[in-house]
Amino acid sequence: MGGSSSRDQPTETSNSSFFTEDELRNLKSEYETGGMEKAKLLIQRKINDLENTELNIAVTGQSGAGKSTFINAMRGLDKDDEGAAETGPTEGTMEPTGYRHPNLPNVCLWDLPGVGTPKFPARKYLKQMKFDKYDFFIIISGCRFTENDVKLAKESKRLKKNFYFVRSKIENDLHAMRMERGDFNEEEELEKIRNYCNRNLQEAGIQSPRVFLISSIDLNRYDFNLLNNALEGDLPSIKKSIYILALPNLNLEIVERKKKELKKRVWMLASLSGAIGAVPVPGVSLGCDIAILIGGIIDFRKYMGLDDASLQRLAKMAGKPVEDLKAVVNSPLVGEITPDIINRLAWGTAAVVISVLEITLDIIPVVGSIFGAGSSFLMTYKLLTGVLDNLTVNAEKVVTAAFGTD
């Protein structure tokens, strides 16, 4: 692909876990020698990693290529929103400028000056841009990739950094074709643009480049999902999860990917609940740790784009009244989370049959078998699984109301 080869990483498990094989062996050993109290520390450390790991994405290209528009779109923001990157025809970026994600502040997209400008000659660019801090580079062009873009890509490869070529403003190319020629085969023309970009990059010395055609004003079209798949395939487990959760809910595929990532967190939160000990919920015979449960619900709701601020941003992106999106949401989880709501959720899980054996074999590689069926662990696991299912259904309804079906 148009990036470096995969980084050497510890082998990750095939199950739904953020733990490597070595970490799982260590987790089992800690439990066997020190009980759940020692294993709990390793699980908590992994959760802290998920909450605190930073993801820094560098976006570079020539003036007018559409860097700022792309950065705003990736954060679900309009150019007029608070905190949006300034867009315009002139080169406004004279130094790396970071733009934090509105829901995940540890995710930052950096708008970098175009390489090869008088102030930033190519030979000094990488040092001045503090190259090592970025996880990967997105090189954007609004027309054709330049010699300086190629130099940046080659240096990225040399330093084992992944890079991705994005050909932006594709909607403008297609509009010009329609004005000039009338009807034409859109897929054939898109393939011609890809081939042109690939040939241009190969002639400049980039082996097997991959170019993604993007419209930042309509990310649902063209190659945006292909770009996401490429990025996710190259990122290590935790950063991949963070990247997926940072995506705006543009389509049902993104919602499903978020659900898959969040399901990996359910067993860890449930394990902490089981380790800490049950705090009975009023009116419910089984207990769970209330703080862990409420925190999980609030985080899951935010990641699934169902908090008020996320709904406002999505409505603006889709050009729909936010009331239309809120109207399709039918869940007690979007308001204040009270003991009464948890109580109702807990009674609802009575009909959910999840055996300890199923949990152990499915997604809990080590610690699932140490909790009994009536434990705080199992209760928290059932509750958070139900919460995630409920939020997913409602997020899908919102996406359909915003953009229609896939």
Side-chain angles (χ1 to χ4, degrees):
M1 63 168 288
S4 68
S5 58
S6 298
R7 290 184 289 260
D8 293 333
Q9 300 172 19
T11 302
E12 292 172 6
T13 58
S14 59
N15 55 44
S16 302
S17 171
F18 294 105
F19 291 84
T20 65
E21 295 284 2
D22 288 343
E23 287 172 335
L24 287 175
R25 282 192 289 269
N26 190 26
L27 182 61
K28 185 176 182 180
S29 174
E30 289 292 278
Y31 170 70
E32 290 173 346
T33 59
M36 192 56 210
E37 194 61 31
K38 289 189 71 174
K40 181 188 74 174
L41 296 176
L42 297 182
I43 296 172
Q44 185 64 66
R45 188 182 307 158
K46 185 64 66 173
I47 291 175
N48 290 341
D49 287 344
L50 286 164
E51 293 176 348
N52 298 319
T53 296
E54 291 192 352
L55 180 64
N56 289 291
I57 303 169
V59 182
T60 187
Q62 298 301 308
S63 172
K67 293 177 295 177
S68 297
T69 303
F70 178 82
I71 287 171
N72 289 336
M74 290 290 287
R75 297 156 68 225
L77 298 180
D78 187 81
K79 60 183 175 59
D80 297 324
D81 289 336
E82 182 180 355
E86 184 176 349
T87 60
T90 60
E91 178 62 75
T93 308
M94 300 310 294
E95 60 183 28
T97 305
Y99 295 94
R100 302 247 168 224
H101 190 278
N103 276 351
L104 287 84
N106 288 336
V107 176
C108 189
L109 287 94
W110 292 84
D111 189 353
L112 271 55
V115 61
T117 61
K119 186 173 181 180
F120 300 103
R123 65 182 184 277
K124 296 181 178 179
Y125 184 83
L126 295 174
K127 183 177 181 180
Q128 289 177 297
M129 294 302 108
K130 299 179 180 178
F131 190 88
D132 287 340
K133 76 181 295 181
Y134 308 112
D135 290 288
F136 58 86
F137 278 70
I138 293 177
I139 304 171
I140 293 186
S141 171
C143 182
R144 65 184 296 275
F145 295 101
T146 68
E147 179 183 354
N148 286 322
D149 294 330
V150 172
K151 288 180 180 177
L152 176 59
K154 287 181 176 179
E155 189 64 12
S156 299
K157 186 174 183 178
R158 187 182 71 81
L159 296 176
K160 294 183 168 57
K161 293 281 186 176
N162 289 318
F163 60 92
Y164 307 87
F165 291 107
V166 168
R167 174 70 160 73
S168 65
K169 302 182 180 181
I170 290 300
E171 73 282 357
N172 291 347
D173 296 81
L174 297 177
H175 176 71
M177 291 179 194
R178 290 190 185 94
M179 295 295 292
E180 180 181 347
R181 294 154 44 187
D183 291 337
F184 59 91
N185 187 309
E186 183 174 291
E187 283 303 318
E188 287 183 1
E189 296 302 325
L190 291 173
E191 190 61 24
K192 288 179 183 178
I193 295 174
R194 288 190 192 94
N195 290 338
Y196 170 78
C197 292
N198 284 328
R199 188 167 58 251
N200 173 251
L201 291 167
Q202 286 173 335
E203 290 174 354
I206 301 295
Q207 295 182 353
S208 303
R210 286 178 62 190
V211 177
F212 301 92
L213 311 185
I214 298 294
S215 168
S216 294
I217 64 173
D218 188 357
L219 289 179
N220 264 324
R221 303 192 68 186
Y222 315 118
D223 293 346
F224 183 63
N225 278 339
L226 295 177
L227 174 62
N228 285 332
N229 290 338
L231 291 170
E232 292 167 23
D234 291 335
L235 286 169
S237 178
I238 288 179
K239 293 199 175 190
K240 170 184 173 180
S241 180
I242 294 170
Y243 176 79
I244 291 172
L245 295 180
L247 291 171
N249 282 1
L250 297 169
N251 53 59
L252 299 179
E253 181 181 343
I254 290 175
V255 173
E256 188 60 32
R257 281 144 98 180
K258 287 186 177 183
K259 178 184 179 181
K260 182 179 178 181
E261 291 305 311
L262 291 175
K263 190 174 181 182
K264 298 177 186 178
R265 306 190 183 203
V266 169
W267 78 263
M268 291 193 291
L269 294 174
S271 298
L272 289 185
S273 177
I276 293 171
V279 177
V281 180
V284 181
S285 58
L286 296 177
C288 57
D289 187 86
I290 300 299
I292 288 175
L293 185 57
I294 291 177
I297 292 172
I298 292 172
D299 285 345
F300 286 11
R301 180 175 66 191
K302 177 181 65 177
Y303 296 143
M304 295 302 277
L306 292 173
D307 60 298
D308 192 66
S310 295
L311 289 171
Q312 293 278 358
R313 289 192 297 269
L314 190 67
K316 194 169 185 181
M317 178 178 284
K320 300 284 181 68
V322 70
E323 290 76 18
D324 288 1
L325 305 192
K326 290 183 177 181
V328 303
V329 178
N330 181 22
S331 172
L333 301 172
V334 296
E336 182 183 2
I337 307 302
T338 64
D340 179 62
I341 288 175
I342 294 176
N343 184 35
R344 287 157 54 193
L345 289 171
W347 281 112
T349 64
V352 179
V353 179
I354 305 176
S355 70
V356 174
L357 177 61
E358 175 191 348
I359 295 171
T360 305
L361 295 178
D362 182 23
I363 63 168
I364 304 179
V366 175
V367 299
S369 60
I370 71 177
F371 298 107
S375 69
S376 172
F377 163 82
L378 191 59
M379 188 61 183
T380 304
Y381 179 82
K382 285 182 175 182
L383 282 168
L384 286 178
T385 298
V387 163
L388 184 54
D389 288 342
N390 179 286
L391 293 174
T392 300
V393 168
N394 281 279
E396 289 171 344
K397 290 179 181 178
V398 168
V399 169
T400 301
F403 302 108
T405 56
D406 284 351

